[in-house]
Amino acid sequence: MTSGRSLDTRAVHAGRDDLVDHGVHAVPIDLSTTYPSRDTAGEAARLDTLATGEQVPGMPIYGRIGNPTVGRFEDALAELEGCEAAVAFASGMAALSACLLAGVAAGKAHVVALRPLYGTSDHLLSAGLLGTTVTWVNTAGEIAGALRPGTAFVIVETPANPTLAEVDLRALAEACGDVPLLVDNTFATPVLQRPAELGASIVLHSATKFLGGHGDVLGGVVACAENHARTLRQIRLATGAVLHPLSGYLLLRGLSTLPVRVRAASATAAELASRLVSHAGVTGVSYPALAANRPARQMTGGGALLSFEVAGDPHAVLGAVRVITPAVSLGSVDSLIQHPGALSHRVVDPADRALGGIGERLLRLSVGLEDVEDLWNDLDQALKAGAG
Ligand SMILES: *Cc1c(COP(=O)(O)O)cnc(C)c1O
């Protein structure tokens, strides 16, 4: 019904199709932890089905099994990513944990991972905290050779956090064969890149970032085939890392402005990246649109993140910004800058950080919706302050 509509239209309407019939305009927030019913026998039958991860009509019986407001966000995100289903979690890390636990439960406790990944994702895999083992590779070409019969999935980020390195997803999906490819699409968002259309089977987001977009909600979501979504719902039901209904409401609201926010921030980021290339205080800039040999037609824009190496003291630069906020995280309406080696990727072993291209002079900038000249002036004065 909605498949012919553009992404911008779907971002505004997905998950809200029934509102007119209910006679409301804003999405209702359902804070119930339990759902009363006098038909206990009927509920028993529904519970048997819900316990398998399958969704059934009617209320979800208990708040850990499901929530109508969160369900709207899941439906909308699945639609935007072009997947059958989506399952929301309390954070991006809870979403990744559920994917790993699904592998373990199926007797597949091994994953293949391409560096760099988000620092805590790297740590969760490296430390084997959920009983999984990992084979790390530094180039996409090594992935096919690292696959084993017990490999649950291959995980990549593109563009990667924090180096903005890109991987050709079509080629990679082919190299993975029958092994599912999990793409962390947090940086690109479905506005710029839809991994499922390129062959990925699992698309993961830290919804905390662009999907929420305002720095006020933690969440995670996995878009995938309905079959796999059932396993993830089973795990979420039993382990409890559910998304709060208010967060579901905020994330659904965030989706409606996602295309506009991402394109505006992306245009500003592209302009800042091209100016930084010739700044005396900068020795190197990573921004997808600047890189040579990019995967063809994979992203429809460079995105809102860029990273750069500074000539002077990176910590002094962070201390000097005034418009830009010195803080971890990304994807907010306001610009955020941070030092990956000190913060987002601190948990990664220093040698592995170096291998992944995360140097001590690297800064990562998440561009928001401020005016480009105000951001440029702030960066320029901070870089001069950092030069000492
Ligand atoms: C932040 C982030 C995560 C983790 O998400 P949380 O919501 O903080 O748990 C995972 N992947 C990427 C690329 C991220 O930037």
Side-chain angles (χ1 to χ4, degrees), residues 90-96 117-121 157 159-161 184-187 204-209 217-220 329-330 364:
S91 69
M93 292 316 302
L96 178 56
L117 292 182
Y118 172 67
T120 308
S121 303
E157 288 177 10
N161 188 351
D184 183 330
N185 204 31
T186 300
F187 271 36
L204 184 143
H205 281 271
S206 167
T208 313
K209 315 295 169 52
V217 48
L218 272 174
S329 201
L330 56 106
R364 186 193 74 193

Side-chain angles (χ1 to χ4, degrees), residues 219-236:
V221 63
V222 180
C224 56
E226 170 60 19
N227 209 26
H228 190 59
R230 287 182 189 178
T231 306
L232 295 176
R233 287 187 205 111
Q234 263 187 309
I235 289 170
R236 182 180 63 183

Side-chain angles (χ1 to χ4, degrees), residues 13 50 55 64 77 173 244 251 320 340:
H13 289 281
L50 286 166
Q55 291 183 301
R64 185 159 28 72
L77 193 274
H244 190 273
L251 291 176

Side-chain angles (χ1 to χ4, degrees), residues 74-387:
E74 292 173 328
D75 291 348
L77 193 274
E79 190 176 326
L80 296 186
E81 284 290 3
C83 293
E84 281 176 357
V87 186
F89 293 89
S91 69
M93 292 316 302
L96 178 56
S97 296
C99 293
L100 291 167
L101 291 171
V104 173
K108 297 193 172 189
H110 175 249
V111 301
V112 175
L114 177 68
R115 276 203 168 105
L117 292 182
Y118 172 67
T120 308
S121 303
D122 187 310
H123 173 65
L124 178 62
L125 295 172
S126 293
L129 293 173
L130 295 175
T132 57
T133 59
V134 58
T135 302
W136 288 107
V137 295
N138 290 304
T139 62
E142 298 166 69
I143 287 174
L147 300 175
R148 299 184 200 158
T151 304
F153 56 79
V154 171
I155 176 171
V156 302
E157 288 177 10
T158 179
N161 188 351
T163 59
L164 287 314
E166 284 178 280
V167 192
D168 185 331
L169 290 178
R170 266 191 209 87
L172 184 54
E174 202 144 305
C176 288
D178 293 340
V179 177
L181 171 60
L182 185 159
V183 176
D184 183 330
N185 204 31
T186 300
F187 271 36
T189 82
V191 177
L192 301 179
Q193 169 177 283
R194 283 176 298 283
E197 291 173 3
L198 304 168
S201 348
I202 306 168
V203 182
L204 184 143
H205 281 271
S206 167
T208 313
K209 315 295 169 52
F210 290 100
L211 304 189
H214 296 72
D216 55 5
V217 48
L218 272 174
V221 63
V222 180
C224 56
E226 170 60 19
N227 209 26
H228 190 59
R230 287 182 189 178
T231 306
L232 295 176
R233 287 187 205 111
Q234 263 187 309
I235 289 170
R236 182 180 63 183
L237 157 58
T239 59
V242 295
L243 185 71
H244 190 273
L246 180 58
S247 300
Y249 174 88
L250 290 169
L251 291 176
L252 183 66
R253 180 155 92 166
L255 289 185
S256 57
T257 54
L258 183 70
V260 178
R261 284 187 285 110
V262 167
R263 286 194 206 105
S266 193
T268 305
E271 175 63 23
L272 294 175
S274 67
R275 291 190 196 181
L276 282 171
V277 168
S278 45
H279 196 287
V282 172
T283 57
V285 180
S286 294
Y287 184 68
L290 293 177
N293 303 320
R294 300 185 62 213
R297 298 187 305 279
Q298 183 163 301
M299 280 175 84
T300 54
L305 281 124
L306 55 106
S307 57
F308 53 96
E309 301 253 349
V310 300
D313 176 1
H315 300 287
V317 175
L318 292 181
V321 288
R322 289 295 175 263
V323 177
I324 303 166
T325 302
V328 280
S329 201
L330 56 106
S332 185
V333 287
D334 57 322
S335 297
L336 304 174
I337 193 166
Q338 65 109 14
H339 186 280
L343 297 175
S344 67
H345 290 68
R346 187 70 187 171
V347 287
V348 180
D349 185 79
D352 294 332
R353 277 208 297 269
L355 272 173
I358 307 166
E360 285 307 311
R361 289 175 184 274
L362 187 75
L363 295 179
R364 186 193 74 193
L365 175 65
S366 171
V367 177
L369 300 178
E370 301 93 336
D371 179 76
V372 64
E373 300 304 335
D374 290 335
L375 291 176
W376 175 250
N377 290 337
D378 194 34
L379 274 177
D380 180 51
Q381 65 80 24
L383 284 164
K384 284 171 181 153

